[in-house]
Structure formats: structure tokens, C-alpha cells
Amino acid sequence: MRGMPKRLLALLLLAALPWLARADEQAFTNRATELKERGAADAATVAKLPENAPVKVLARGGGWTKVEAGGKSGWVRVFHLRFAGSVEASNSSGGGLASLGSALGFGQKNEQARLVTTGIRGLSSEDVKNANPDAAQLARMQSYRADRAAAERFAKEARLVAVRIEVPQDGAKGDAK
Amino acid sequence: MRMRAWLVAGAFGLAAANASAIDFGSIINKAIDTGRQLNEANHEFTQEEEVALGEGLAAGFLGAAPLRKDAELQRYVNRVGKWLAMHSGRPELPWTFGVVDTETVNAFAMPGGTVLITYGLVKRLGSEAELAGALAHEIAHVVKKHQLQAIQSDKSSQAWANLGKGIAGEAIARRGSDPVGLKTWGANAGVELLKNGVFLRPLDRSMEYEADKLGVVIAARSGYDPYGLVGVLEMLAQVKSDGSGLSVLDTHPAPADRLADLEPFMPQVERDVKQPQQVEARFRKVVAP
């Protein structure tokens, strides 16, 4: 009798494995690159990674992504990664197995795990085409508009300082400012 | 000179008096002409026309996906958006931002400065710099009039054919200072363009790449970390379309392609950035993780 729950647990674990593999988002290096201690070009190098090295995505910020590779964690330039999430994220089974995972004590530990699409069906083109225009909602939205002064105060609170930057020539042309 | 000014004023007074007598036939003709002109690819929309059209589109959209009932969030997004728009090429537009309550991950720019972003996208963002990156991309579409160009280049649509009727009906009903009912006409046109799906079609890929770059510049000018949009694309590279047809993954080039396009561009913007901010704490106060 005591053996049964263990075998059941093992079975459940087996069933949960594919989900566990997906929970930590997988990415690959798209060129040889360096794993850095911090997200900065001048930070110390933790390890050198070859092209196509699998990494586990832990967090993102600025132009750098926090990853785990070969047992070490550090930061890699976001442009040096190729993400595999779009093929792996599962809509149909994610929810069920996720709850199984947490019932067994495997909480979703990192930020990225929560970013996987939930699979709840959203707005469709047909919904929008068939909708009746809602003038009251439009008016409500316009009542939330911010004026210049409010935007300036808001920017100051977060120490957002405007800088003059021209649009580079090979970029979006003609945005005179 | 003074005499001439009086004469002009007199002529206007006369016209106004005649208008109040209402010549239905001429109003309808003028209205239909207006509809025809607006459909010409080289027609320059006035700002008023553009704003009215965008309001019509937004009203239609909100009929399908209402605003998220969170006034703090709505005001917050409007402040970020307005601050960004003040550093765009068209700061004078009546910029309006709304968070719509749907799980679909996307954002939509309407001509004239109305931008809708879905809660499905907002809740997946990690900082105000990322929100700024997404909004600045939409602001760039408005600045470049991408949606207007797409609407005008759509010759197959029945929308324009129905517009004359809309204007005429409105003109007769109103008799106000807006003799062809422009504002309401624009709204009708917007609704029509939404109904026949013209507005929901993806833009040219070149327009999306252009909006990415200009958006990065607008966010950087506003003091945000220019990598905000890059972070959004990184996140999008890890989600899957919900199959709705309206997901950002259905309406935009693949995130990996957009990232590859931005890579050589970023150093040119980074050069000019002074003290770029991520602003995570304020974002987290409004958008719970």
C-alpha cells in the first residue's frame, strides 16, 4: 500500500516533465558570445559561449538578458540570442500541467515562466468587425487624457530627462523635430 | 483695406443666412464630393479629418473590447504616452491612450493620435521603459500616417462608397456650424473601415520596421532606456499567437526579424542617450505582476 502513492507520484512526475522543460524558457546563442557578470559590455566575463549554446532565460532588462548556461548564470546581449519560446509555449496543456506542477510543489520560479501565453482566447477580427461603436467608452477614454503640464510633472518624478536625438539617416526618415 | 475686410465679412454673413435655409441638394452633393476626394490616394487629410476618422475607429474598437476598469492604470498610460508624444514629430495632436480589457497581446494606433494597448500586452511588460517602447512604436505609426496611407491605398473597400450617404444624412440632421457633418462623418467612416476589415489588415512590413526605429528614437528622446522595445520583442519572441488573428504575432513581422533589424540601429541611438531610465518601481505600483 505504501508503494502505491510513490508510484503514482512517479507517474505524475513523468506526466509533468514536458511542462517542467517548458517552464524555464529556452534560448540559444546565435553566435559565439560572452556570459557577463552584469549587463554591461565592460563587466567581467563569466564564461565564453559558443554558437548554438542552449541557455535558460531568467530575466530581461535593457539590452541584456539574464541567463543560465552550463550551470553558471550571467548576462548575454539580447541580440546574441535566438528564442525558442514561440515553438514551445503550449496553449492547450499549459494550464492543467501548471496546476499539477504547483500541486507537487514545483512553483514557477522565474519571471519568464509567467510570460508564456495563457491560451485564453482573446479578441478576434470578427469581434471587432461586428461590434457596435461605443461613444460612451470613447468619451471615457478621452477623459483620461494627460495635458502637457501633467506629463512634465510625471516625467520629473521618475527623473526622465528629455534629450535631443536626431533620427539616424538610415532609420525612419523625415521625422523633423 | 478696411473696406475690403467688411466686404468679406458681409459675404460670409450672407452665406450663413442662406445655409440656415438649407439647400439639401447642394449639401448632399458637397458631402458626396468630400467622400470621393478623401478616397483619392493623394488627398491630404486635414488634422481635423484625421482625428475624426481615428475617433470613429476607436469607438468601433471599444465596442468590441471595452476599456479596462482601472482609472489609475488609464491615467498612468496617458501620462507615459503624452510625454512620449511630446517628443515626436507631431506633439500637437490630441493624444489619447487607452488600455482595453482583452487577453490578446497587441497595440493599435488610430489616425489622429488615439492609441489602444491591450491588457494582455501590458501585464506581460516588465517596466515603464518597455511600456514606453510599445507606445512609442504606435506613436511612430501615427507620426508617419501609416494607417492613413494603408486606408487610402485600399481601393477594393466598399467603405468609401458608403461614406457619402453617411455624410449626407448627418448634414441634414445637423444644420450646425459644421455643414457637412465632418466630425460625425469621420466617425462614421472610421466605423465603416473597421466593419469591412480594412483597418485590421497588417501594415507593410517596411512600415513596422520604420515604426520600430522611430519608436526607439522617441523613447530615447523622452529619457527612457532605448532598449525598452527590444525587451518587448524579446518577450514576444517567447509567446505564441492566441489564434485570434489580432495578436501582435499575426499582424507584425516575427519578433526575431524585428530584433535583427534593430541590432545595427541601436548603437546610433545609444550614442546620444544621457541617463536612460527603466522606471520599474512606478510601473509595478500600477501594474501588479
Side-chain angles (χ1 to χ4, degrees):
Chain A
M1 278 302 278
R2 278 186 65 86
M4 274 302 280
K6 262 191 184 167
R7 271 174 63 189
L8 190 64
L9 183 67
L11 270 172
L12 282 172
L13 269 171
L14 263 178
L17 270 178
W19 171 78
L20 291 174
R22 278 195 298 264
D24 296 305
E25 282 300 323
Q26 186 84 25
F28 297 89
T29 54
N30 61 16
R31 69 197 81 177
T33 185
E34 291 176 334
L35 188 65
K36 295 282 193 182
E37 206 170 74
R38 289 173 297 112
D42 58 1
T45 302
V46 177
K48 287 191 184 291
L49 302 176
E51 189 180 340
N52 277 326
V55 302
K56 206 159 79 177
V57 177
L58 304 174
R60 62 178 195 269
W64 297 80
T65 304
K66 192 177 187 187
V67 301
E68 197 182 292
K72 291 174 184 162
S73 73
W75 297 78
V76 175
R77 272 199 186 279
V78 57
F79 292 126
H80 296 183
L81 294 174
R82 168 167 58 83
F83 298 93
S86 47
V87 250
E88 297 193 3
S90 164
N91 279 342
S92 51
S93 59
L97 285 175
S99 4
L100 177 61
S102 47
L104 290 171
F106 300 100
Q108 298 190 357
K109 284 205 178 78
N110 64 56
E111 276 290 301
Q112 297 302 333
R114 274 188 295 99
L115 297 176
V116 176
T117 186
T118 56
I120 296 170
R121 201 176 159 79
L123 188 67
S124 76
S125 313
E126 289 310 306
D127 295 337
V128 175
K129 285 183 203 168
N130 298 328
N132 290 317
D134 194 330
Q137 283 275 304
L138 179 69
R140 171 173 291 179
M141 178 168 70
Q142 291 175 340
S143 77
Y144 294 129
R145 273 179 189 155
D147 62 17
R148 255 191 117 79
E152 274 163 1
R153 276 196 307 276
F154 177 80
K156 210 171 172 185
E157 280 165 20
R159 277 175 285 171
L160 291 167
V161 181
V163 230
R164 202 187 153 77
I165 302 176
E166 297 298 328
V167 182
Q169 278 306 301
D170 58 346
K173 291 177 275 293
D175 176 54
K177 185 184 181 235
Chain B
M1 282 307 282
R2 172 167 268 178
M3 183 75 157
R4 228 166 129 181
W6 271 108
L7 276 173
V8 172
F12 264 109
L14 207 64
N18 277 350
S20 63
I22 304 177
D23 176 354
F24 285 140
S26 85
I27 289 175
I28 291 170
N29 284 339
K30 189 172 179 200
I32 290 170
D33 275 355
T34 309
R36 233 177 250 139
Q37 283 164 24
L38 292 178
N39 187 26
E40 283 168 17
N42 58 358
H43 171 78
E44 282 278 339
F45 275 72
T46 65
Q47 185 171 306
E48 194 188 357
E49 287 166 354
E50 196 187 334
V51 170
L53 190 65
E55 286 180 346
L57 284 164
F61 217 99
L62 289 166
L67 293 171
R68 188 166 173 86
K69 287 183 182 144
D70 183 343
E72 191 193 2
L73 173 69
Q74 300 292 352
R75 282 197 192 92
Y76 173 73
V77 170
N78 270 283
R79 284 172 188 163
V80 177
K82 175 73 173 185
W83 175 247
L84 290 166
M86 282 163 60
H87 302 95
S88 78
R90 301 183 74 190
E92 74 291 349
L93 287 175
W95 291 95
T96 312
F97 300 82
V99 180
V100 292
D101 210 356
T102 165
E103 282 296 321
T104 293
V105 177
N106 212 343
F108 304 89
M110 321 285 164
T114 298
V115 172
L116 299 178
I117 183 167
T118 68
Y119 188 66
L121 174 53
V122 171
K123 74 176 188 185
R124 285 176 169 82
L125 301 175
S127 67
E128 195 172 298
E130 289 193 356
L131 173 64
L135 294 179
H137 170 96
E138 299 306 325
I139 289 169
H141 278 314
V142 176
V143 167
K144 289 291 175 185
K145 302 187 181 176
H146 285 157
Q147 279 80 6
L148 267 191
Q149 288 173 40
I151 289 167
Q152 283 183 293
S153 67
D154 191 282
K155 293 294 176 196
S156 62
S157 98
Q158 271 299 300
W160 300 105
N162 294 328
L163 296 185
K165 288 183 242 161
I167 307 168
E170 193 51 40
I172 293 163
R174 280 171 64 111
R175 310 176 191 178
S177 57
D178 184 7
V180 289
L182 178 69
K183 204 168 158 63
T184 314
W185 168 81
N188 289 343
V191 168
E192 199 63 49
L193 288 166
L194 208 55
K195 281 202 182 302
N196 62 26
V198 172
F199 182 75
L200 297 175
R201 282 182 210 142
L203 293 170
D204 284 353
R205 294 169 71 88
S206 63
M207 289 178 175
E208 295 299 345
Y209 292 131
E210 188 182 27
D212 279 348
K213 289 176 189 142
L214 183 52
V216 163
V217 171
I218 291 170
R221 280 176 185 162
S222 310
Y224 287 107
D225 184 336
Y227 278 90
L229 178 64
V230 172
V232 179
L233 294 173
E234 183 184 348
M235 177 274 289
L236 291 175
Q238 297 170 67
V239 301
K240 195 178 174 182
S241 162
D242 59 3
S244 64
L246 276 188
S247 150
V248 62
L249 301 167
D250 302 324
T251 59
H252 290 68
D257 293 344
R258 296 171 68 185
L259 284 168
D261 189 66
L262 277 178
E263 183 176 357
F265 182 77
M266 296 306 291
Q268 306 177 62
V269 179
E270 271 180 288
R271 217 176 34 205
D272 297 326
V273 165
K274 296 279 191 297
Q275 283 175 305
Q277 303 288 335
Q278 297 268 354
V279 199
E280 282 179 43
R282 180 162 74 180
F283 180 80
R284 278 291 159 233
K285 268 171 79 179
V286 184
V287 183

